[in-house]
Amino acid sequence: MRIVLLGPPGAGKGTQAKVLAQKLQVPHISTGDILRQNVAQQTALGKEAKDYMDKGLLVPDELVTQMLDKRLQQLDVKHGFILDGYPRNLAQAKVLDVMLKEKKMDIDMVVYLDASAQVIIQRLSGRLVCKSCGANFHATNMPPKVALVCDTCKGKLYQRSDDNEETIKNRLSVYRKEVKDLSLYYQKIHKLEHVSADEDPPIVLEKVISLAKQRNDTVKVR
């Protein structure tokens, strides 16, 4: 089963993707993780990306796409994957189509996790991020075992400067404008499913798995 997860910041894409990947026994492919891995492993693409990051610039789409292409060539994606963080726009969706076609693969389902502004503000305003490994925690919903210390790598946790109500509303507005064409594209080819992400994560997960089974009755859940 090959699933793409879409949704605004704070909708819970990363959380759902990790658990869904475990349940369906397929890899979770996150472009954020791929980027960090390439930088940490000092691959040719990682070094190129780090040059942009060190200058405070965004890593170009082309570089991220090349990293994703290499990831999709690995053997563990043969029976499916959960893709999180890509595509972000219509142009990337078309690039992804070509990328997958070359590998004789196709997307089975695109799930749009839609959360209300109120819920997103509550989630993001309490978010804590690890400076070392990028892991996410939440002051209320998912606090670290030790205050401001990452459970995974013991790095220092901090709150992003853009995780405030006004900025979050702006980011949400920008995202919804950007994703409009992308959603219509997947809707026209009958791949899009909408799921409310306002509910608790286990309920959201159950709905996504149910949709996956409707799309493919051979789906096995661990």
Side-chain angles (χ1 to χ4, degrees):
M1 191 74 179
R2 302 180 187 96
I3 299 174
V4 170
L5 289 185
L6 302 178
K13 294 188 300 298
T15 300
Q16 291 297 333
K18 289 175 185 176
V19 182
L20 187 60
Q22 292 172 357
K23 291 287 186 182
L24 300 184
Q25 301 177 59
V26 295
H28 166 214
I29 301 177
S30 160
T31 49
D33 289 346
I34 292 173
L35 177 57
R36 285 188 286 271
Q37 288 165 6
N38 273 269
V39 171
Q41 294 168 7
Q42 297 186 345
T43 65
L45 291 173
K47 289 177 181 177
E48 195 173 346
K50 192 172 186 299
D51 286 340
Y52 285 94
M53 294 163 70
D54 288 345
K55 294 172 185 173
L57 301 173
L58 291 174
V59 177
D61 279 358
E62 183 182 349
L63 273 182
V64 177
T65 300
Q66 288 180 53
M67 292 178 189
L68 177 60
D69 188 44
K70 286 185 177 295
R71 179 66 183 89
L72 290 173
Q73 293 174 33
Q74 295 179 19
L75 293 177
D76 65 342
V77 305
K78 182 179 179 181
H79 299 296
F81 53 77
I82 309 298
L83 183 54
D84 158 32
Y86 194 103
R88 292 179 182 272
N89 52 52
L90 182 56
Q92 288 184 351
K94 292 182 177 179
V95 169
L96 179 62
D97 284 348
V98 173
M99 205 185 298
L100 292 175
K101 188 175 182 181
E102 290 172 348
K103 299 168 181 58
K104 297 180 180 179
M105 295 190 287
D106 193 13
I107 295 297
D108 295 299
M109 180 173 72
V110 177
V111 179
Y112 185 90
L113 297 174
D114 197 6
S116 64
Q118 182 180 357
V119 168
I120 288 174
I121 290 168
Q122 186 274 331
R123 288 175 180 169
L124 293 186
S125 60
R127 182 167 63 173
L128 298 169
V129 184
C130 177
K131 284 188 176 181
S132 300
C133 71
N136 286 326
F137 296 85
H138 192 279
T140 305
N141 300 347
M142 193 173 67
K145 294 175 183 176
V146 178
L148 298 180
V149 177
C150 178
D151 291 353
T152 305
C153 73
K154 307 305 179 186
K156 186 177 180 181
L157 302 182
Y158 73 102
Q159 185 173 40
R160 285 173 38 168
S161 59
D162 59 348
D163 280 346
N164 60 75
E165 184 169 344
E166 184 178 352
T167 307
I168 291 168
K169 285 181 177 178
N170 288 335
R171 286 162 60 194
L172 182 57
S173 176
V174 169
Y175 178 81
R176 286 183 169 154
K177 287 178 183 176
E178 288 180 344
V179 82
K180 185 177 179 181
D181 288 343
L182 184 58
S183 296
L184 287 172
Y185 175 72
Y186 284 124
Q187 186 176 332
K188 285 178 180 177
I189 57 175
H190 310 293
K191 297 288 178 71
L192 186 66
E193 300 282 1
H194 281 266
V195 173
S196 170
D198 280 357
E199 298 178 279
D200 290 338
I203 295 174
V204 177
L205 178 67
E206 187 179 330
K207 289 182 177 180
V208 175
I209 290 174
S210 176
L211 288 169
K213 288 179 177 178
Q214 290 173 32
R215 292 268 177 173
N216 185 341
D217 57 13
T218 66
V219 167
K220 294 180 180 179
V221 180
R222 180 159 58 182

